[in-house]
Amino acid sequence: MSPKSSLVRSGGGPLRAAALARHAAAKRQVCAICSMTGGAGPATIPRRARNNAPIRSSLPDRRQNLSTAPAANDVRAELEQALVQLQSQSPRLFNLSRLQLALQGLRQAPGEEAVRVAILGLANVSSSGQTAKRLLRAILSDPLQDQQAWEKQLDSYDLTKPLVVKISAGPHLDEANIDVAKEKPIQRLHISSPDYDALGLEFLLMDVEASTLAAEQPSIKHLEDIALVPSVATRSADGRVSQTPAPVHKALIVADGLMGAVGLASLPVSESGGAITGAVDLKGPAGEELHAPFQVIDVAQAEDGVRLFREGPQNAMQYERLWFASNVPALTAWLKAGLQTEDAATKPAVKQLLASLLDNAQSAIQIEEYIIVSRTLASKTPLDDATGLHRGLAEWARQAHSELQDELDLAFTGRRWRKLGWWKLFWRVDDVGMLTSDILSQRFLPTAERELVYLTGRIAELRGAPPQYPQPVSELPESPAAAAIVGPAKTALPKWPGHIAFTRRYLRDETVPALQSTAQRLLVQSLGTSSVATTLAGLLYLSSFTAGIYEAGAVAALGIVYSLGRLQKKWETARRFWEGDVREEGRKAVRAVEESVSQALVAQEAVSPAQAEELQRSKELVSEAEELLSRLK
């Protein structure tokens, strides 16, 4: 018998009986998903499998009655209290939806916490929504039984509305107990799966737009906010549609085909610590040879394996071969890694959620501490000195604009620029890049850049430390100019705005090669047109249909004049465009520097002692919660 079938056969029994025995009276707490779906009926879902109902029991054989249980319960209670205090004191430090999910887990018995997993199909990438449904069905199907009614309902389900798939540890659910509520914003499906009945598992199946996951600069925080707190559209009584968060512990992003693989490869899934993973349905050699930070699966092979095993036990070996070749077991292993514990310990998925929340809170506290330090330094600058710096900035901006106009006027009427006249391209076409680069190096705001360094030095002297100036960001991440981007995360952060140098590099690396290429292309076109005209004139002269050399010469002259006129017109247009581009980019650079320094010079109100005390208290609570989490069993 295959490993899969062995697991299926051993999935019920004592675990299910113990779960039914642990349904003592407890205070019911409805989670976000349950509140939107109306919850589950007691005849269908055992209390142990409900997401947010804390479980208490007075049975003498419970693990909580062991000598080590009070200490473990004390740690959970203290951790819960610390998080509640943080929520009431500094809610801005957390994603409140994820925090509520973590608190619900702490209010449940250790090892019996309900775990939610989101299965997200990329909506606008091929057929990823269908692939997500098929993958979930393959994971939950029992090959030892015939096709169940819920499998047919899942196949025909339209993912325009999210679907909650509840894995029940109660008696086997037949077709009459399967409930898909048509009028609810989140529809619910109750099933029984021997592999997962005793694990307290709930799936949220929905589509998500690929553009929502993507970002100009993908970050793990953005990915967690979208994948671990997906939004569900709900309609109120007055007809208004709003987005309600549905937090989960783990998320599986499902894509289909090469386009889906490209979309997933751009996401920082590997930085989530295992809370988020990706799977792409690829068939054939393309999937076998692909090395990527996501799982490559073949859902069709998994479905074929289940179908063959249901036809008869003689297909067990073939089922096992297809099942493992599909790579679906890698996803089931990832899924169970957050669910299975020993000795009634807290489930890993719950611990991971708590650790992620505290890490994010620490990062938020560090940012606020930096803001407090900056404001404190700004408030210590004397008023007269601050006024003088503002005046100095205004004077620098005036001189920079004047220098930009005067220096570029000299440059574009000087000898170097005249060397690039259209008639000189025949012997100077290879010097276009060198001459224009010299103009940028010597005439593009050299004095303004030196004066800017002096001005920012005065600011740093008065403030006691150099402020953080907003730096330019390239819109061309793959260009050579991107290597020169200096962002706030760099170790060699400049102590002055880098807009002038950045713009100079951009003009030299992006526009100068384009101007050089234009010159070469126009010259080749002119020579080609002249050659064609001359050749045609020669053929006319040699043919018997021409009257003499004058007509042939007229044809050659017409072609040469046309080609030279075209060269002159297009090249002069290109030169004027580049000249205007340099002036405009210089004006933008001066304006950006002025705004950057002005932001650093804005005198901000000093932080009140109450704000500083609140932040310090939040920092202590986060440290206390981290220490309690390290002791949580």
Side-chain angles (χ1 to χ4, degrees):
M1 184 66 63
S2 65
K4 171 73 176 178
S5 58
S6 299
L7 285 173
V8 172
R9 288 188 182 277
S10 60
L15 288 176
R16 186 180 66 186
L20 291 173
R22 295 192 295 264
H23 69 284
K27 182 180 179 181
R28 180 181 178 90
Q29 297 182 6
V30 181
C31 65
I33 292 180
C34 293
S35 64
M36 289 185 288
T37 58
T44 306
I45 304 286
R47 187 174 300 273
R48 184 208 159 284
R50 292 176 185 170
N51 269 352
N52 302 295
I55 301 175
R56 300 291 184 267
S57 176
S58 58
L59 296 178
D61 58 343
R62 287 300 305 249
R63 295 181 183 271
Q64 284 81 352
N65 290 334
L66 297 177
S67 59
T68 58
N73 290 335
D74 290 343
V75 172
R76 293 177 76 88
E78 291 177 11
L79 179 56
E80 179 187 347
Q81 182 179 4
L83 291 177
V84 170
Q85 291 181 7
L86 280 169
Q87 179 186 7
S88 60
Q89 177 176 306
S90 304
R92 64 190 180 279
L93 300 179
F94 298 96
N95 184 307
L96 295 182
S97 298
R98 299 187 71 197
L99 179 59
Q100 287 298 320
L101 183 64
L103 290 174
Q104 291 169 6
L106 288 175
R107 290 162 184 163
Q108 294 173 316
E112 298 181 357
E113 302 91 349
V115 174
R116 295 180 189 157
V117 178
I119 308 293
L120 307 176
L122 297 187
N124 55 350
V125 178
S126 184
S127 58
S128 299
Q130 297 296 326
T131 304
K133 291 194 300 183
R134 294 169 57 203
L135 176 60
L136 181 59
R137 187 186 66 179
I139 291 175
L140 299 179
S141 295
D142 183 4
L144 296 180
Q145 298 181 5
D146 293 335
Q147 187 178 20
Q148 303 296 303
W150 66 263
E151 298 182 46
K152 299 177 182 179
Q153 291 197 15
L154 185 61
D155 286 340
S156 60
Y157 185 78
D158 183 7
L159 284 183
T160 53
K161 285 187 177 181
L163 176 67
V164 171
V165 180
K166 185 78 172 181
I167 313 300
S168 172
H172 179 69
L173 299 174
D174 55 19
E175 185 175 359
N177 289 330
I178 297 176
D179 173 28
V180 179
K182 301 297 184 182
E183 72 280 0
K184 299 295 185 180
I186 296 184
Q187 299 183 7
R188 180 175 290 268
L189 176 64
H190 294 162
I191 71 170
S192 176
S193 177
D195 273 352
Y196 302 98
D197 278 348
L199 298 180
L201 183 60
E202 185 176 90
F203 289 97
L204 173 62
L205 179 64
M206 61 181 294
D207 280 344
V208 62
E209 295 291 335
S211 58
T212 305
L213 291 173
E216 293 182 1
Q217 295 181 347
S219 64
I220 183 59
K221 184 178 184 305
H222 172 78
L223 182 61
E224 286 179 348
D225 290 341
I226 301 299
L228 296 180
V229 193
S231 296
V232 177
T234 58
R235 186 180 299 274
S236 60
D238 57 0
R240 295 183 179 180
V241 178
S242 60
Q243 297 294 326
T244 303
V248 297
H249 294 85
K250 307 180 76 172
L252 170 62
I253 305 174
V254 181
D256 188 77
L258 289 177
M259 292 303 297
V262 172
L264 270 182
S266 63
L267 301 177
V269 174
S270 58
E271 300 177 19
S272 66
I276 305 174
T277 191
V280 179
D281 187 18
L282 285 176
K283 303 173 180 62
E288 297 173 1
E289 300 175 1
L290 185 63
H291 301 281
F294 49 77
Q295 297 292 340
V296 178
I297 60 175
D298 190 340
V299 180
Q301 287 192 5
E303 293 175 330
D304 290 342
V306 174
R307 177 182 54 81
L308 288 173
F309 194 88
R310 284 173 171 172
E311 291 177 357
Q314 68 276 9
N315 298 324
M317 296 300 295
Q318 192 173 2
Y319 156 76
E320 184 174 357
R321 180 183 61 80
L322 291 172
W323 179 255
F324 285 97
S326 69
N327 203 30
V328 172
L331 298 180
T332 60
W334 166 82
L335 186 63
K336 292 181 179 180
L339 302 172
Q340 295 174 334
T341 60
E342 296 180 358
D343 298 330
T346 304
K347 290 183 178 179
V350 178
K351 282 188 174 182
Q352 188 175 30
L353 174 59
L354 291 167
S356 175
L357 285 170
L358 295 177
D359 287 343
N360 292 340
Q362 282 284 18
S363 300
I365 288 175
Q366 291 176 1
I367 293 175
E368 291 196 8
E369 285 181 335
Y370 169 76
I371 294 175
I372 287 178
V373 172
S374 300
R375 290 181 177 179
T376 303
L377 292 175
S379 65
K380 293 180 180 179
T381 302
L383 180 61
D384 294 339
D385 292 334
T387 303
L389 291 177
H390 280 287
R391 291 175 180 173
L393 174 61
E395 180 64 18
W396 175 88
R398 186 190 64 80
Q399 293 180 357
H401 283 290
S402 178
E403 179 192 3
L404 179 68
Q405 180 178 355
D406 295 342
E407 291 294 326
L408 292 184
D409 285 344
L410 290 175
F412 293 128
T413 58
R415 182 172 57 87
R416 281 191 179 89
W417 192 240
R418 289 198 301 270
K419 287 181 180 180
L420 299 180
W422 68 272
W423 68 92
K424 296 181 180 181
L425 281 183
F426 293 97
W427 61 90
R428 290 195 181 275
V429 67
D430 292 333
D431 297 337
V432 172
M434 179 189 67
L435 295 176
T436 51
S437 296
D438 287 344
I439 290 174
L440 293 175
S441 299
Q442 299 180 18
R443 299 292 184 181
F444 191 80
L445 298 172
T447 305
E449 192 171 17
R450 290 193 295 269
E451 292 296 330
L452 176 62
V453 176
Y454 172 73
L455 177 63
T456 52
R458 288 179 57 198
I459 295 173
E461 181 181 3
L462 292 172
R463 295 289 181 87
Q468 300 292 331
Y469 298 100
Q471 298 295 331
V473 178
S474 175
E475 297 179 356
L476 303 170
E478 296 182 357
S479 67
I485 296 177
V486 183
K490 297 288 185 180
T491 55
L493 184 68
K495 299 178 181 179
W496 57 85
H499 298 79
I500 294 177
F502 181 87
T503 304
R504 187 185 296 117
R505 285 192 294 267
Y506 160 74
L507 292 171
R508 184 183 65 242
D509 296 339
E510 299 294 337
T511 64
V512 168
L515 187 65
Q516 172 86 54
S517 175
T518 300
Q520 293 173 341
R521 186 181 70 255
L522 292 176
L523 183 61
V524 170
Q525 290 176 353
S526 178
L527 292 176
T529 304
S530 300
S531 300
V532 170
T534 304
T535 302
L536 179 60
L539 293 175
L540 290 176
Y541 177 73
L542 296 176
S543 68
S544 59
F545 300 100
T546 182
I549 192 173
Y550 298 105
E551 290 79 357
V555 173
L558 179 62
I560 293 173
V561 169
Y562 170 77
S563 65
L564 294 179
R566 186 173 180 271
L567 172 64
Q568 178 185 9
K569 179 181 178 181
K570 289 187 173 294
W571 176 242
E572 292 302 327
T573 300
R575 288 214 307 169
R576 286 194 299 270
F577 178 82
W578 189 78
E579 178 181 344
D581 195 21
V582 172
R583 292 181 184 274
E584 180 63 18
E585 291 296 332
R587 185 192 66 79
K588 290 180 180 179
V590 173
R591 180 60 181 160
V593 169
E594 187 178 4
E595 292 178 355
S596 179
V597 178
S598 179
Q599 291 181 23
L601 285 178
V602 173
Q604 301 178 357
E605 183 180 357
V607 178
S608 65
Q611 290 175 307
E613 182 179 355
E614 176 191 348
L615 184 62
Q616 181 61 28
R617 176 56 180 161
S618 299
K619 188 175 181 180
E620 293 174 356
L621 283 174
V622 171
S623 299
E624 178 185 350
E626 289 179 335
E627 192 273 335
L628 290 170
L629 179 60
S630 65
R631 293 162 45 198
L632 185 65
K633 298 298 184 181

Short mmCIF file of all heavy atoms in Angstrom, two decimals, residues 419 421-430 519 522-528 530 560 563-564 567-568:
data_model
loop_
_atom_site.label_atom_id
_atom_site.label_comp_id
_atom_site.label_asym_id
_atom_site.label_seq_id
_atom_site.Cartn_x
_atom_site.Cartn_y
_atom_site.Cartn_z
N LYS A 419 31.31 71.92 -33.31
CA LYS A 419 31.99 70.82 -34.00
C LYS A 419 31.02 69.73 -34.44
O LYS A 419 31.38 68.88 -35.26
CB LYS A 419 33.05 70.21 -33.09
CG LYS A 419 34.28 71.07 -32.90
CD LYS A 419 35.28 70.36 -32.00
CE LYS A 419 36.54 71.21 -31.79
NZ LYS A 419 37.52 70.52 -30.92
N GLY A 421 28.15 70.20 -36.03
CA GLY A 421 27.25 70.62 -37.09
C GLY A 421 27.00 69.49 -38.07
O GLY A 421 27.80 68.56 -38.22
N TRP A 422 25.88 69.59 -38.77
CA TRP A 422 25.47 68.46 -39.60
C TRP A 422 26.47 68.17 -40.71
O TRP A 422 26.68 67.02 -41.08
CB TRP A 422 24.09 68.72 -40.19
CG TRP A 422 24.05 69.84 -41.20
CD1 TRP A 422 23.86 71.15 -40.97
CD2 TRP A 422 24.23 69.69 -42.61
NE1 TRP A 422 23.90 71.87 -42.12
CE2 TRP A 422 24.13 70.98 -43.16
CE3 TRP A 422 24.46 68.61 -43.47
CZ2 TRP A 422 24.26 71.22 -44.52
CZ3 TRP A 422 24.59 68.85 -44.81
CH2 TRP A 422 24.49 70.13 -45.34
N TRP A 423 27.10 69.21 -41.25
CA TRP A 423 28.06 68.98 -42.34
C TRP A 423 29.37 68.38 -41.85
O TRP A 423 30.17 67.92 -42.65
CB TRP A 423 28.33 70.31 -43.07
CG TRP A 423 29.09 71.31 -42.24
CD1 TRP A 423 30.43 71.49 -42.19
CD2 TRP A 423 28.54 72.24 -41.33
NE1 TRP A 423 30.77 72.48 -41.32
CE2 TRP A 423 29.60 72.97 -40.76
CE3 TRP A 423 27.24 72.54 -40.93
CZ2 TRP A 423 29.41 73.97 -39.82
CZ3 TRP A 423 27.05 73.55 -40.00
CH2 TRP A 423 28.13 74.25 -39.45
N LYS A 424 29.60 68.41 -40.49
CA LYS A 424 30.84 67.85 -39.95
C LYS A 424 30.67 66.41 -39.46
O LYS A 424 31.65 65.81 -38.99
CB LYS A 424 31.34 68.71 -38.79
CG LYS A 424 31.71 70.13 -39.21
CD LYS A 424 32.22 70.94 -38.02
CE LYS A 424 32.59 72.36 -38.45
NZ LYS A 424 33.11 73.15 -37.32
N LEU A 425 29.47 65.90 -39.57
CA LEU A 425 29.25 64.54 -39.09
C LEU A 425 30.03 63.51 -39.88
O LEU A 425 30.32 62.42 -39.38
CB LEU A 425 27.75 64.20 -39.16
CG LEU A 425 26.85 64.76 -38.04
CD1 LEU A 425 25.44 64.26 -38.23
CD2 LEU A 425 27.36 64.35 -36.67
N PHE A 426 30.36 63.83 -41.13
CA PHE A 426 31.05 62.86 -41.97
C PHE A 426 32.41 62.48 -41.41
O PHE A 426 32.89 61.38 -41.64
CB PHE A 426 31.19 63.42 -43.39
CG PHE A 426 29.87 63.57 -44.11
CD1 PHE A 426 29.22 64.80 -44.13
CD2 PHE A 426 29.28 62.49 -44.73
CE1 PHE A 426 28.01 64.94 -44.78
CE2 PHE A 426 28.06 62.63 -45.38
CZ PHE A 426 27.42 63.87 -45.40
N TRP A 427 33.05 63.38 -40.67
CA TRP A 427 34.35 63.02 -40.08
C TRP A 427 34.35 63.14 -38.54
O TRP A 427 35.33 62.83 -37.90
CB TRP A 427 35.47 63.89 -40.65
CG TRP A 427 35.33 65.37 -40.41
CD1 TRP A 427 35.80 66.08 -39.36
CD2 TRP A 427 34.66 66.31 -41.26
NE1 TRP A 427 35.47 67.40 -39.47
CE2 TRP A 427 34.78 67.57 -40.65
CE3 TRP A 427 33.99 66.21 -42.48
CZ2 TRP A 427 34.24 68.72 -41.22
CZ3 TRP A 427 33.48 67.35 -43.04
CH2 TRP A 427 33.59 68.60 -42.42
N ARG A 428 33.24 63.58 -37.93
CA ARG A 428 33.18 63.70 -36.48
C ARG A 428 32.06 62.88 -35.85
O ARG A 428 31.70 63.08 -34.69
CB ARG A 428 32.98 65.17 -36.08
CG ARG A 428 34.19 66.03 -36.33
CD ARG A 428 34.07 67.36 -35.59
NE ARG A 428 35.19 68.22 -35.84
CZ ARG A 428 36.33 68.18 -35.16
NH1 ARG A 428 36.48 67.28 -34.21
NH2 ARG A 428 37.31 69.01 -35.45
N VAL A 429 31.48 61.95 -36.61
CA VAL A 429 30.35 61.21 -36.06
C VAL A 429 30.74 60.37 -34.85
O VAL A 429 29.95 60.19 -33.92
CB VAL A 429 29.73 60.32 -37.16
CG1 VAL A 429 30.70 59.21 -37.58
CG2 VAL A 429 28.40 59.73 -36.69
N ASP A 430 32.00 59.91 -34.80
CA ASP A 430 32.44 59.11 -33.66
C ASP A 430 32.79 59.96 -32.45
O ASP A 430 33.05 59.41 -31.36
CB ASP A 430 33.65 58.26 -34.04
CG ASP A 430 33.29 57.18 -35.05
OD1 ASP A 430 32.12 56.76 -35.05
OD2 ASP A 430 34.17 56.80 -35.85
N ALA A 519 23.09 60.01 -34.64
CA ALA A 519 24.04 60.57 -35.60
C ALA A 519 24.54 59.51 -36.57
O ALA A 519 24.61 59.74 -37.79
CB ALA A 519 25.20 61.22 -34.85
N LEU A 522 21.66 58.47 -39.02
CA LEU A 522 21.37 59.49 -40.03
C LEU A 522 22.48 59.56 -41.07
O LEU A 522 22.21 59.76 -42.26
CB LEU A 522 21.17 60.84 -39.36
CG LEU A 522 19.91 60.99 -38.49
CD1 LEU A 522 19.90 62.36 -37.82
CD2 LEU A 522 18.66 60.80 -39.33
N LEU A 523 23.72 59.42 -40.63
CA LEU A 523 24.82 59.48 -41.58
C LEU A 523 24.78 58.29 -42.54
O LEU A 523 24.98 58.45 -43.76
CB LEU A 523 26.16 59.50 -40.82
CG LEU A 523 27.42 59.63 -41.68
CD1 LEU A 523 27.39 60.94 -42.47
CD2 LEU A 523 28.67 59.55 -40.82
N VAL A 524 24.50 57.11 -42.01
CA VAL A 524 24.41 55.93 -42.87
C VAL A 524 23.25 56.08 -43.85
O VAL A 524 23.37 55.75 -45.04
CB VAL A 524 24.25 54.67 -42.01
CG1 VAL A 524 23.90 53.46 -42.87
CG2 VAL A 524 25.53 54.39 -41.23
N GLN A 525 22.14 56.60 -43.40
CA GLN A 525 21.01 56.80 -44.31
C GLN A 525 21.33 57.81 -45.40
O GLN A 525 20.96 57.62 -46.56
CB GLN A 525 19.80 57.27 -43.50
CG GLN A 525 19.20 56.21 -42.59
CD GLN A 525 18.06 56.74 -41.74
OE1 GLN A 525 17.80 57.95 -41.74
NE2 GLN A 525 17.39 55.86 -41.00
N SER A 526 22.04 58.88 -45.04
CA SER A 526 22.40 59.89 -46.04
C SER A 526 23.35 59.32 -47.08
O SER A 526 23.17 59.53 -48.29
CB SER A 526 23.04 61.09 -45.34
OG SER A 526 23.45 62.06 -46.28
N LEU A 527 24.35 58.60 -46.61
CA LEU A 527 25.29 57.98 -47.55
C LEU A 527 24.60 56.95 -48.42
O LEU A 527 24.89 56.83 -49.62
CB LEU A 527 26.45 57.35 -46.78
CG LEU A 527 27.39 58.32 -46.06
CD1 LEU A 527 28.43 57.55 -45.25
CD2 LEU A 527 28.10 59.25 -47.06
N GLY A 528 23.70 56.21 -47.85
CA GLY A 528 22.96 55.21 -48.63
C GLY A 528 22.11 55.85 -49.71
O GLY A 528 22.08 55.38 -50.86
N SER A 530 22.49 58.82 -51.08
CA SER A 530 23.38 59.40 -52.11
C SER A 530 23.95 58.32 -53.02
O SER A 530 24.04 58.50 -54.25
CB SER A 530 24.51 60.17 -51.43
OG SER A 530 24.00 61.21 -50.63
N ILE A 560 21.57 63.47 -54.01
CA ILE A 560 22.54 63.93 -53.01
C ILE A 560 21.96 65.10 -52.22
O ILE A 560 22.07 65.16 -50.98
CB ILE A 560 23.86 64.31 -53.69
CG1 ILE A 560 24.53 63.05 -54.27
CG2 ILE A 560 24.79 65.01 -52.70
CD1 ILE A 560 25.75 63.34 -55.11
N SER A 563 19.34 63.81 -49.76
CA SER A 563 19.91 63.10 -48.61
C SER A 563 20.57 64.07 -47.64
O SER A 563 20.43 63.93 -46.42
CB SER A 563 20.92 62.05 -49.09
OG SER A 563 22.03 62.67 -49.71
N LEU A 564 21.30 65.08 -48.18
CA LEU A 564 21.93 66.06 -47.29
C LEU A 564 20.89 66.91 -46.58
O LEU A 564 21.05 67.26 -45.39
CB LEU A 564 22.91 66.93 -48.07
CG LEU A 564 24.14 66.21 -48.64
CD1 LEU A 564 25.02 67.17 -49.43
CD2 LEU A 564 24.95 65.56 -47.52
N LEU A 567 19.46 64.86 -43.81
CA LEU A 567 20.44 64.76 -42.73
C LEU A 567 20.47 66.04 -41.90
O LEU A 567 20.47 66.00 -40.66
CB LEU A 567 21.82 64.48 -43.32
CG LEU A 567 23.00 64.53 -42.33
CD1 LEU A 567 22.88 63.45 -41.27
CD2 LEU A 567 24.33 64.39 -43.08
N GLN A 568 20.48 67.20 -42.58
CA GLN A 568 20.51 68.46 -41.85
C GLN A 568 19.27 68.65 -40.99
O GLN A 568 19.35 69.00 -39.80
CB GLN A 568 20.63 69.63 -42.84
CG GLN A 568 20.62 70.99 -42.17
CD GLN A 568 20.63 72.13 -43.16
OE1 GLN A 568 20.47 71.91 -44.37
NE2 GLN A 568 20.81 73.35 -42.69
#
